[in-house]
Amino acid sequence: MCLNKVVRNLDQELLERMVKEVIASLAGNNNTNNEFSSKNTNKVNRQDYPLSVKRKDLVKSATGKKLEDITIENVMNGKIGAEDCRIAPETLELQAQIAESVGRNAFARNLRRAAELIAVPDTRVLEIYNALRPYRSTKVELLAIADELEDKYNAKVNAQLVREAAELYEKRDRLRKD
């Protein structure tokens, strides 16, 4: 077998492995957005885990692609792109329901916070993360971030978390001094 053919086979194997990992992450991952939660009639529990096997009809990407649409062939022919491999808030909500059904309430809350953050651009999430580090922001700046999360992205739980951080940082003298 020539070297080029070996490399092509390795590339194909790597691509297949990557697609399988994406599919697994789509299936393995709540949304605090009450609008979704109140409309969601697809309640799931521990018997539905893993969703990719037992309830694949409910799993979709952030762009609405179904699990069965995410194939190597569709990736190779350009029908599936990177944005199509991002998890949907609804899928995170389903995973949170499963977590709650087995008593993992803290994990369910984390999944719901993550679902809220899907609407926030990645670069902004990193900026907010850095702003939340001790001594990086003033209380006014943190409260402005909380307002932005709530008003612009409807990320109410994350906004409350930032407000709580602002209060705690103030009490512990961890705010940036102007």
Side-chain angles (χ1 to χ4, degrees):
M1 189 181 289
C2 74
L3 184 58
N4 285 340
K5 193 171 183 178
V6 171
V7 170
R8 276 195 307 266
N9 286 343
L10 286 176
D11 287 344
Q12 185 70 19
E13 289 174 24
L14 178 61
L15 182 60
E16 286 179 22
R17 214 171 325 131
M18 288 171 48
V19 169
K20 286 178 183 176
E21 287 177 20
V22 167
I23 290 169
S25 74
L26 281 171
N29 295 330
N30 165 17
N31 183 358
T32 52
N33 183 337
N34 290 332
E35 180 181 325
F36 171 74
S37 297
S38 63
K39 290 181 183 176
N40 182 17
T41 57
N42 297 313
K43 290 286 188 182
V44 294
N45 59 40
R46 72 185 313 153
Q47 286 76 30
D48 296 303
Y49 184 82
L51 291 171
S52 64
V53 173
K54 296 183 178 176
R55 293 302 309 269
K56 73 169 84 176
D57 59 305
L58 299 178
V59 178
K60 65 176 185 170
S61 73
T63 60
K65 298 286 186 190
K66 295 179 181 175
L67 193 55
E68 62 265 14
D69 295 335
I70 303 174
T71 64
I72 293 171
E73 182 180 329
N74 285 343
V75 170
M76 295 301 284
N77 67 24
K79 290 181 181 176
I80 298 291
E83 287 299 310
D84 297 315
C85 295
R86 295 183 69 158
I87 194 164
E90 295 85 358
T91 304
L92 286 168
E93 171 59 33
L94 296 171
Q95 286 301 127
Q97 290 173 18
I98 291 170
E100 285 174 335
S101 77
V102 295
R104 299 197 59 205
N105 297 328
F107 183 52
R109 284 191 304 273
N110 287 339
L111 290 167
R112 290 191 171 109
R113 280 193 294 272
E116 281 190 343
L117 291 175
I118 287 174
V120 182
D122 293 343
T123 55
R124 186 62 182 133
V125 170
L126 290 174
E127 291 168 354
I128 292 169
Y129 171 80
N130 282 321
L132 282 167
R133 296 177 68 197
Y135 308 108
R136 297 291 174 103
S137 302
T138 65
K139 185 175 183 180
V140 170
E141 290 168 335
L142 291 176
L143 294 176
I145 289 170
D147 290 343
E148 174 192 4
L149 287 168
E150 188 166 15
D151 299 338
K152 186 172 182 180
Y153 300 107
N154 196 31
K156 294 177 174 142
V157 174
N158 284 284
Q160 184 57 37
L161 191 68
V162 173
R163 287 185 184 100
E164 290 172 12
E167 294 298 322
L168 187 62
Y169 283 8
E170 183 176 49
K171 286 179 186 172
R172 294 186 178 175
D173 197 32
R174 300 287 191 263
L175 293 168
R176 188 183 81 226
K177 307 278 193 253
D178 277 340

